[in-house]
Amino acid sequence: MSVLIIEAFYGGSHKQLVDLLLEELQDCVLYTLPAKKWHWRARTSALYFSQNVPISEHYRILFASSVLNLTELVALRPDLGKLRKILYFHENQLVYPVKKCKERDFQYGYNQILSCLVADVVVFNSVFNMESFLNSIGRFMKLIPDHRPRDLEGIIRPKCQVIYFPIRFPDVSRFMPKHKTAHLQKMLSLKENGGAPPSMGPPFQTEPRESGNTQKNVKSQDDVQPGLQVAQEEILGISLVQETGLAKSYSSANSSSHLGETLRNLTLTPCGILGEVDDQQRPLHIVWPHRWLEAVYCGCYPLCPKDLVYPEIFPAEYLYSTPEQLSKRLQNFCKRPDIVRKHLYKGEMAPFSWASLHGKFRSLLTAEPGEDL
């Protein structure tokens, strides 16, 4: 096994990524810890893996998420320090999820900085994630009272690159109206395989195919930042409104009562595959997904804050700046649900598909320890 994959938080998007790599790429072995007690995984998983990953002369590449303290691991296991070490950031502890600087939180961000210093390649899932991390290093290190290290951003930045989180989109065509299916196929085929039709597997297939890959210590949540989606169709049995969560999200903006009242006035019915797309009698369904890359693919109209990673992903027409803007747009959609149901998404989807990204991951995980990408 030439690729050693270590995941200290095996759940949510972390699990989704390494399972995909294990299934799609050859010659990989995976060691994991369950996705719970996140803070303890960040603190102690390196010691655990140092004792439980067997020594092998066949390893060439080490791939891990930034939950792992890579510095501790390679110090405890010098044999692993000789590998090409790739660190993947799903999120970064300098700005997300907690923005307030607290002394007790310093260690987690500090561990990630140290891990970047010993890694050979540092991969982020978005430009926002990368730039917010790198631009925050200097300010973050000023929390050290004296004898501060210098120019860490300059040392780390040349190692960094962005590879979006890959999604193997399933075939949902039987749940969608024809005009949206055709549009979806067109969007996915624009940049995949030189314009060839995208490869789409059975709906939500999870069973891995036969391969030579090995998975160890697998046990079985997550960090993709949430946005609001308005369902164009009642697809795949998904239909919910989290009124309490939405109101709480904006309580500090002094507009939660107005927004909450808007949501309380919405009439919701159990979801199903219903009628024609222009049926004005059908209620509008509002979804609050953590998996927005998948929600839009399944036919949702995205409404996201003009903040964080969203402007990088979505065209401006899907973004709002204030809670009042969000409330107004929701009211308009409730009055005219046909606007949402007939809408064809104007952003790009192909750059986030496994068909577009598999080449980058293959190159990343096949380079030799001394080889530059």
Side-chain angles (χ1 to χ4, degrees):
M1 302 296 178
S2 64
V3 180
L4 171 62
I5 302 177
I6 294 179
E7 180 49 67
F9 195 80
Y10 187 63
S13 64
H14 293 238
K15 180 180 186 299
Q16 186 176 340
L17 175 60
V18 297
D19 283 355
L20 180 60
L21 297 180
L22 193 73
E23 179 179 344
E24 295 287 346
L25 302 179
Q26 298 299 316
D27 214 18
C28 298
V29 60
L30 172 64
Y31 290 85
T32 70
L33 281 171
K36 59 182 181 180
K37 303 184 188 303
W38 178 90
H39 296 88
W40 285 107
R41 297 290 182 259
R43 291 183 181 116
T44 65
S45 62
L47 178 58
Y48 171 84
F49 287 119
S50 73
Q51 295 181 333
N52 287 274
V53 175
I55 295 175
S56 173
E57 62 182 15
H58 300 295
Y59 298 143
R60 295 291 180 268
I61 293 171
L62 170 59
F63 181 93
S65 75
S66 60
V67 175
L68 176 71
N69 189 326
L70 187 60
T71 306
E72 290 183 350
L73 180 63
V74 300
L76 293 166
R77 287 286 300 275
D79 59 310
L80 300 181
K82 298 175 183 178
L83 307 181
R84 182 176 182 83
K85 299 171 291 299
I86 300 169
L87 194 67
Y88 191 88
F89 275 73
H90 293 261
E91 82 294 317
N92 76 78
Q93 292 300 311
L94 302 192
V95 299
Y96 182 85
V98 178
K99 291 186 177 181
K100 294 181 180 179
C101 292
K102 299 180 179 179
E103 186 175 352
R104 64 183 175 89
D105 293 335
F106 179 83
Q107 192 65 41
Y108 305 118
Y110 184 66
N111 288 352
Q112 289 188 331
I113 292 172
L114 291 180
S115 293
C116 289
L117 291 172
V118 301
D120 297 296
V121 182
V122 182
V123 184
F124 293 85
N125 63 355
S126 68
V127 174
F128 168 80
N129 196 11
M130 180 178 72
E131 292 298 334
S132 64
F133 178 80
L134 293 173
N135 294 334
S136 298
I137 291 176
R139 181 174 65 255
F140 182 81
M141 298 304 287
K142 288 181 180 179
L143 295 173
I144 301 175
D146 56 12
H147 301 289
R148 300 167 185 147
R150 293 176 294 179
D151 196 31
L152 298 183
E153 179 187 347
I155 297 171
I156 295 172
R157 183 175 284 276
K159 304 179 181 184
C160 297
Q161 59 178 281
V162 172
I163 302 182
Y164 286 114
F165 186 93
I167 296 177
R168 188 172 53 193
F169 289 113
D171 183 2
V172 295
S173 58
R174 72 174 184 265
F175 299 104
M176 301 176 69
K178 291 182 179 180
H179 74 290
K180 291 179 184 175
T181 301
H183 181 66
L184 177 66
Q185 293 282 354
K186 181 179 179 181
M187 283 195 301
L188 287 177
S189 65
L190 287 178
K191 293 187 178 180
E192 293 177 0
N193 304 319
S199 175
M200 300 169 70
F204 297 98
Q205 176 178 342
T206 57
E207 291 297 322
R209 67 190 184 201
E210 292 293 328
S211 72
N213 295 329
T214 306
Q215 185 167 346
K216 301 290 186 181
N217 199 37
V218 174
K219 302 177 182 178
S220 243
Q221 216 166 36
D222 180 58
D223 41 54
V224 177
Q225 298 154 356
L228 182 65
Q229 313 265 349
V230 180
Q232 297 178 327
E233 294 301 316
E234 290 69 43
I235 295 172
L236 305 179
I238 301 172
S239 177
L240 63 136
V241 169
Q242 296 186 356
E243 176 185 332
T244 302
L246 187 59
K248 287 182 179 178
S249 297
Y250 296 108
S251 59
S252 62
N254 297 320
S255 60
S256 60
S257 58
H258 177 55
L259 189 57
E261 184 65 27
T262 299
L263 293 180
R264 280 191 291 273
N265 290 334
L266 296 179
T267 302
L268 300 179
T269 61
C271 155
I273 309 302
L274 304 174
E276 297 295 327
V277 296
D278 59 352
D279 183 0
Q280 289 298 302
Q281 302 304 313
R282 281 174 28 208
L284 193 67
H285 290 76
I286 298 176
V287 185
W288 190 297
H290 289 278
R291 299 290 175 265
W292 44 264
L293 284 172
E294 289 97 328
V296 172
Y297 172 80
C298 289
C300 289
Y301 184 108
L303 282 177
C304 301
K306 193 174 182 180
D307 193 13
L308 304 173
V309 73
Y310 298 113
E312 180 182 341
I313 306 300
F314 294 109
E317 69 178 272
Y318 303 112
L319 307 177
Y320 62 87
S321 298
T322 66
E324 290 76 15
Q325 290 180 0
L326 172 61
S327 178
K328 183 176 181 179
R329 295 193 69 179
L330 285 175
Q331 291 183 62
N332 290 337
F333 286 152
C334 291
K335 294 175 182 177
R336 289 286 310 278
D338 60 302
I339 295 177
V340 173
R341 293 190 171 115
K342 293 180 179 180
H343 180 79
L344 297 178
Y345 179 63
K346 298 179 183 178
E348 292 188 276
M349 203 166 293
F352 309 102
S353 69
W354 173 249
S356 293
L357 294 168
H358 76 277
K360 293 183 178 181
F361 278 98
R362 288 183 189 277
S363 297
L364 190 70
L365 296 176
T366 55
E368 291 296 323
E371 183 180 347
D372 292 328
L373 292 179

